[in-house]
Structures are given as C-alpha cells and as structure tokens.
Amino acid sequence: MIRDICKDEVFLARQAEPAGPEDLAVAADLLETLEHHRESCVGMAANMIGVNKRIIAFDNEGTCQVMFNPEILKKSGPYEAEEGCLSLTGTRRARRWRTVKVRWQNERFQERIKTFTGWTAQIIQHEIDHCEGILI
C-alpha cells in the first residue's frame, strides 16, 4: 500500500524501535511507497511513512533493497553533501562518508554485512539518520 509521507518533525526526530518479523508488511508498504515516488526519491525510512521502526528501503544501483535494523559499523572518506528529503522542506548540508560498512537483517532476519560506496553509501547514511531521529 502506498502510504502518505510523514512531515511531522517531532515524530521524525524520535529514535526508531527495532524491527521484527511482524514488520514485514511495513517493509512492503515502504517499498511500494518508494516506487511510487521513484522520480523524486531514492530512499526512505519507515518513519517517513509514519511507522517508528528501524527499516529502510533504497535504490541499490537500480534494484530496491530493504534493510531491517541497519547500523553502520565502519566509515571512511568524509565529505560534505547537500541533500533533500520528501519529509523535509528544502535541502540541507550533511557530513557523509564515501565508504560505509553496514550490518543489517534481510527479510528472513538473517544478519548481513556489506561495504557500500559512493551514491549508494550516501543514500544508506541518510536513511539510517532517519532511524536515529537525526533530521539533516
């Protein structure tokens, strides 16, 4: 189901709760909502659709991917970026890392670890910020 985009900054500033198997439907809605906004959006966190769970969805080089309970383990290559967000008005500056090593769970809640670089790494960092309640 395509969900409305949450713009409530008080809600968005809350740290997300861990996600579990009962949240698979939220992930499906997140993917459908991301696909609906594909022209103007490359990633979303569950709080952007009004669900305070630690779930992100993003464009991973042309394929949409979901991560449950993502966390950055390692980062390198800092740089300054300017980013927009469907939940927030305008653009904001953010410190990002060219390379990030991320641990997450897939849709079967199996742990995965992978290093991402470039644009994909930036998207993941933005969405994990959402999970942390960080408004860029």
Side-chain angles (χ1 to χ4, degrees):
M1 170 177 33
I2 297 168
R3 302 255 198 128
D4 291 337
I5 302 300
C6 176
K7 296 180 183 285
D8 180 350
E9 290 189 23
V10 173
F11 179 80
L12 294 168
R14 293 174 43 200
Q15 215 174 21
E17 298 291 326
E22 67 278 5
D23 298 310
L24 287 169
V26 173
D29 289 352
L30 193 59
L31 281 170
E32 195 170 338
T33 305
L34 176 60
E35 182 62 35
H36 179 75
H37 291 280
R38 196 159 193 72
E39 294 296 318
S40 60
C41 184
V42 292
M44 298 185 113
N47 65 356
M48 293 176 65
I49 60 169
V51 180
N52 192 32
K53 291 291 186 156
R54 199 170 179 84
I55 308 167
I56 67 171
F58 60 96
D59 182 331
N60 185 5
E61 299 179 4
T63 302
C64 287
Q65 181 174 347
V66 172
M67 290 180 172
F68 294 87
N69 304 309
E71 61 179 314
I72 295 173
L73 301 175
K74 186 177 179 182
K75 49 194 173 186
S76 63
Y79 67 99
E80 294 297 317
E82 189 166 320
E83 300 173 348
C85 181
L86 288 180
S87 290
L88 304 169
T89 305
T91 59
R92 293 172 165 83
R93 297 192 54 73
R95 182 181 177 107
R96 296 293 179 220
W97 304 88
R98 296 188 197 294
T99 303
V100 291
K101 184 176 186 178
V102 182
R103 176 174 45 211
W104 77 95
Q105 294 167 318
N106 66 14
E107 64 282 344
R108 293 185 196 113
F109 288 84
Q110 299 163 320
E111 185 175 290
R112 298 289 183 247
I113 297 175
K114 183 177 177 179
T115 299
F116 296 89
T117 60
W119 178 236
T120 304
Q122 184 174 339
I123 299 166
I124 291 169
Q125 291 169 79
H126 179 103
E127 303 317 329
I128 289 177
D129 277 357
H130 272 291
C131 293
E132 298 297 335
I134 298 169
L135 303 180
I136 59 160

